[in-house]
Amino acid sequence: MALMNGSYPEQFILLGFADRPWLELPLFVILLIIYPMGLMGNIAIILVSILDPQLHSPMYFFLTNLSFLDMCYTTSIVPQMLINLGSSTKTISYTRCVLQLYFYSIMGGTECLLLAIMSIDRYVAICKPLRYTLIMNQRLCILLMSVVWLTGMTYAISEASITLQLPMCGHNQLDHLVCEIPVLLKTACGEKEANEFALSLGCIFMLLVPLCLILASYGRIGWAIFQMKSSEGRKKAFGTCSSHLIVVFLFSGPAISMYLQPPSSITRDQPKFMALFYGVVTPTLNPFIYTLRNKDVKAALGKLMMNIFSSK
């Protein structure tokens, strides 16, 4: 990946919504508001999960990792979006584009797998409650997260590296807001069939397989909830599971529509809106979805705020 090679430009021009300048200022203001909100929401969940002893359970261990992932996910793309939307300069250096591509892909791939692990955790908690602490012990949770991170990094690095081997042939304009694999594939020249096949195969493993595992887990969970005699137990189980399911569909739906189709068939504006949705909107909503539908998190946040104000 020599930068001096003529097939690789020194910088890319991220066109974004340059053909619709009236959209850039409202989008800039929206991102400027929701990005800090998402950061604060995810930081709050991480803090209460660490500081409150009542939240020292596998569910909140995975939720902490999800919040950390979401923070990294949005931070890998939103600052560059704000720079490009807030100025007439729409450029990003080749090096920064490559770094963004790697980080963005790593966080997205890892989150797909983490959502599947969280569904397994809910399955064990509801369908095997008496053995939950024995099965989902600390050692297993750390091992699962290590596998999730390692697999996500391996997938992202391999897919991004394969994509970057394609020559750009002097093309330095990306009709997008971020450096993303499908858009780079669409812009590259040369034989791309093998790359598109590798991307589809990787996405089947990283998107469809985890989604099938999630749906299978929730099929068993739904049956277990239906058989519960306690209405309070059903309500609590449904509350925690519904929050996770909302997050799954908000993230997986747009990602599947973007990554599981040939890049040549992607419409012009589809990547931009999909990137905004699963790269910005969903990670920002996640902490509020879990907070608003979870009494334990709301109680922990209340205690944290009271401790902060009482110390002042």
Side-chain angles (χ1 to χ4, degrees):
M1 296 192 307
L3 297 184
M4 298 305 293
N5 190 326
S7 62
Y8 298 102
E10 293 183 1
Q11 63 182 14
F12 287 106
I13 299 173
L14 294 172
L15 297 176
F17 295 102
D19 59 332
R20 302 173 189 175
W22 56 270
L23 190 58
E24 290 188 338
L25 181 59
L27 189 57
F28 176 84
V29 173
I30 291 170
L31 288 177
L32 199 60
I33 294 171
I34 67 173
Y35 176 56
M37 285 176 57
L39 287 181
M40 289 188 292
N42 284 306
I43 290 171
I45 285 185
I46 292 172
L47 286 177
V48 297
S49 298
I50 293 173
L51 298 176
D52 196 317
Q54 293 184 349
L55 301 185
H56 290 176
S57 67
M59 174 182 172
Y60 295 103
F61 170 74
F62 295 127
L63 182 57
T64 300
N65 279 272
L66 179 65
S67 294
F68 175 74
L69 266 174
D70 286 338
M71 287 172 56
C72 296
Y73 201 26
T74 55
T75 302
S76 67
I77 60 171
V78 173
Q80 185 65 47
M81 283 186 184
L82 289 171
I83 291 172
N84 290 359
L85 289 169
S87 67
S88 58
T89 304
K90 311 293 183 185
T91 58
I92 181 173
S93 69
Y94 181 84
T95 304
R96 290 183 66 181
C97 182
V98 169
L99 289 173
Q100 186 182 79
L101 181 70
Y102 278 116
F103 277 103
Y104 188 61
S105 302
I106 288 170
M107 299 308 158
T110 304
E111 184 155 337
C112 293
L113 299 176
L114 178 56
L115 291 173
I117 296 298
M118 292 175 75
S119 72
I120 295 174
D121 171 70
R122 291 298 83 209
Y123 163 74
V124 177
I126 293 171
C127 298
K128 302 180 185 295
L130 299 179
R131 300 177 59 195
Y132 176 63
T133 54
L134 182 65
I135 296 173
M136 300 301 294
N137 55 69
Q138 186 180 25
R139 183 179 177 182
L140 179 62
C141 291
I142 294 173
L143 178 63
L144 288 172
M145 277 310 309
S146 300
V147 171
V148 163
W149 274 101
L150 183 61
T151 307
M153 290 175 67
T154 303
Y155 156 77
I157 291 171
S158 59
E159 287 286 0
S161 298
I162 291 171
T163 302
L164 291 170
Q165 297 305 312
L166 287 171
M168 301 304 294
C169 302
H171 299 157
N172 72 331
Q173 291 190 348
L174 299 179
D175 194 10
H176 200 11
L177 293 161
V178 297
C179 293
E180 197 172 7
I181 290 176
V183 178
L184 283 171
L185 271 179
K186 190 173 183 179
T187 307
C189 59
E191 297 295 329
K192 299 184 284 188
E193 288 75 12
N195 299 75
E196 292 184 358
F197 177 75
L199 178 63
S200 299
L201 198 63
C203 290
I204 288 172
F205 175 73
M206 297 297 292
L207 279 170
L208 286 187
V209 172
L211 184 59
C212 290
L213 185 60
I214 291 168
L215 294 176
S217 298
Y218 276 105
R220 298 291 300 274
I221 289 170
W223 178 248
I225 292 175
F226 180 75
Q227 290 183 315
M228 286 181 180
K229 295 180 179 179
S230 168
S231 59
E232 186 64 28
R234 284 198 300 269
K235 185 178 179 181
K236 185 175 181 180
F238 180 77
T240 57
C241 292
S242 61
S243 298
H244 182 242
L245 270 177
I246 291 170
V247 170
V248 166
F249 287 115
L250 283 175
F251 180 83
S252 300
I256 288 173
S257 70
M258 178 67 185
Y259 279 86
L260 287 181
Q261 62 174 312
S264 56
S265 66
I266 295 174
T267 60
R268 182 180 180 184
D269 288 331
Q270 182 182 351
K272 305 169 193 176
F273 290 110
M274 292 297 100
L276 286 171
F277 199 84
Y278 60 71
V280 181
V281 176
T282 302
T284 301
L285 290 177
N286 285 354
F288 299 100
I289 292 171
Y290 278 106
T291 302
L292 294 175
R293 301 180 66 86
N294 191 306
K295 292 181 180 179
D296 295 334
V297 176
K298 284 192 285 188
L301 280 171
K303 285 194 290 184
L304 179 65
M305 296 302 294
M306 285 179 64
N307 290 336
I308 291 172
F309 286 115
S310 62
S311 64
K312 287 183 178 181

